[in-house]
């Protein structure tokens, strides 16, 4: 082959591999949705995963939500005061948290804490042949491993996002009212005037979609991990990186759709 065509061969092979992987992920998710339609439903397993993904992430969400709101208020105050609009600090902080920062940062925190652990857990089960043992015992691996994680992510992410936003608003209140001298009534009155139900639902829809994406990618990478410790570590790293990038990309498309 002419050396001049080598770059095109490399690009073609990479693109072909990417498309195959994308199709494999789509089939994996379609199988999970299909098995989700039929009983049995392992409610104990679902509750256990809600506890793992949601409850055990609350401390991280409390800290990041509070300090995100505080930093946001501090930065926005110094911008708004230049335009004589410091009275709009409350709605500026609330809308930023509700529509963008809350869902995105919350999803990234869950990815780092829970998504990586889900991938590692399923990956270790795969290399130790526990997944094959489930098949041997007539237990559907999708029912036992995949579906509970997806449902737990869909339930947990909107609740965690709500906690993040509320604490972020009060963190902004502590800085705006306590340090910068903005009136308490002005801060919350502006939020009441400018924040609508549509804004809240935008953040809710994003959280739902992020919950699906995180658990889908994490479970997929664990389910099809390579063998050995190196395979699990590689799958875990890929899970976190891909989930984080997909969250940011999907956030753009969701914002474009919701704004339109």
């Amino acid at each position: 082959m002419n050396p001049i065509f080598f770059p095109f061969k490399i690009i073609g092979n990479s693109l072909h591999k990417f498309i195959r992987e994308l199709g494999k992920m789509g089939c994996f998710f379609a199988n999970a949705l299909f098995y989700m339609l039929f009983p049995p439903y392992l409610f104990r397993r679902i509750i256990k995963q809600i506890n793992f993904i949601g409850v055990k992430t609350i401390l991280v969400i409390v800290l990041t939500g509070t300090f995100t709101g505080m930093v946001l208020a501090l930065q926005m105050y110094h911008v708004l005061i230049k335009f004589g609009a410091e009275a709009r600090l409350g709605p500026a902080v609330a809308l930023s948290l509700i529509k963008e920062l809350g869902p995105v940062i919350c999803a990234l925190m869950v990815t780092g804490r829970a998504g990586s652990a889900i991938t590692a857990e399923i990956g270790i089960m795969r290399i130790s042949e526990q997944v094959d043992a489930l098949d041997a015992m007539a237990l559907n691996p999708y029912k036992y491993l995949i579906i509970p994680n997806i449902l737990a992510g869909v339930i947990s992410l909107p609740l965690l996002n709500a906690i993040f936003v509320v604490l972020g608003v009060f963190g902004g209140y502590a800085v705006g009212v306590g340090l910068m001298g903005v009136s308490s009534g002005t801060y919350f009155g502006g939020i009441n005037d400018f924040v609508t139900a549509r804004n809240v639902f935008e953040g809710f829809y994003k959280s739902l979609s992020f919950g699906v994406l995180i658990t889908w990618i994490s479970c997929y990478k664990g389910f099809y991990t390579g063998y050995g410790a190196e395979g699990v570590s590689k799958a875990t790293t890929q899970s976190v990186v891909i989930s984080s990038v997909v969250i940011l990309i999907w956030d753009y498309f969701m914002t474009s759709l919701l704004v339109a």
Side-chain angles (χ1 to χ4, degrees), residues 89-103:
L89 180 64
V93 171
L95 287 172
S96 299
L97 289 169
I98 291 170
K99 298 178 69 174
E100 287 298 328
L101 292 180

Side-chain angles (χ1 to χ4, degrees), residues 82-192:
K82 295 179 181 180
F83 303 96
E86 60 271 19
R88 298 290 181 250
L89 180 64
V93 171
L95 287 172
S96 299
L97 289 169
I98 291 170
K99 298 178 69 174
E100 287 298 328
L101 292 180
V104 172
I105 297 180
C106 182
L108 293 176
M109 292 299 104
V110 172
T111 298
R113 200 213 70 83
S116 57
I118 290 171
T119 303
E121 179 186 5
I122 297 177
I124 291 172
M125 293 183 70
R126 168 63 73 184
I127 65 174
S128 61
E129 299 182 348
Q130 295 181 52
V131 176
D132 298 329
L134 290 175
D135 275 326
M137 293 186 295
L139 285 173
N140 190 326
Y142 282 88
K143 286 283 187 182
Y144 187 79
L145 296 176
I146 312 304
I147 294 174
N149 280 309
I150 293 176
L151 292 178
V154 170
I155 294 170
S156 299
L157 260 294
L159 298 176
L160 291 174
N161 178 50
I163 295 172
F164 187 100
V165 170
V166 170
L167 290 173
V169 169
F170 279 101
Y173 173 87
V175 171
V177 177
L179 294 181
M180 301 303 171
V182 177
S183 167
S184 175
T186 301
Y187 185 88
F188 284 114
I191 294 175
N192 185 57

Side-chain angles (χ1 to χ4, degrees), residues 10 21 23 39 41 67 78 128 153 179 200 212 217 225-227 248 257:
I10 295 172
E21 188 76 6
Y41 300 104
F67 283 99
H78 291 291
S128 61
L179 294 181
V200 176
V212 173
I217 295 171
T225 186
Y227 282 91
L248 297 176
L257 180 64

Side-chain angles (χ1 to χ4, degrees), residues 24-106:
K24 194 175 177 182
M25 289 182 67
C27 292
F28 176 82
F29 186 62
N31 283 333
L33 292 179
F34 175 77
Y35 289 120
M36 200 180 292
L37 299 175
F38 305 101
Y41 300 104
L42 306 179
F43 291 108
R44 287 190 178 182
R45 179 74 179 169
I46 295 171
I47 292 171
K48 179 183 177 182
Q49 293 309 108
I50 291 174
N51 176 66
F52 176 72
I53 296 174
V55 177
K56 292 186 177 180
T57 313
I58 288 178
L59 180 59
V60 177
I61 297 300
V62 167
L63 292 174
T64 54
T66 303
F67 283 99
T68 298
M70 293 171 72
V71 171
L72 195 60
L74 194 61
Q75 293 282 5
M76 283 194 169
Y77 178 82
H78 291 291
V79 173
L80 293 172
I81 199 172
K82 295 179 181 180
F83 303 96
E86 60 271 19
R88 298 290 181 250
L89 180 64
V93 171
L95 287 172
S96 299
L97 289 169
I98 291 170
K99 298 178 69 174
E100 287 298 328
L101 292 180
V104 172
I105 297 180
C106 182

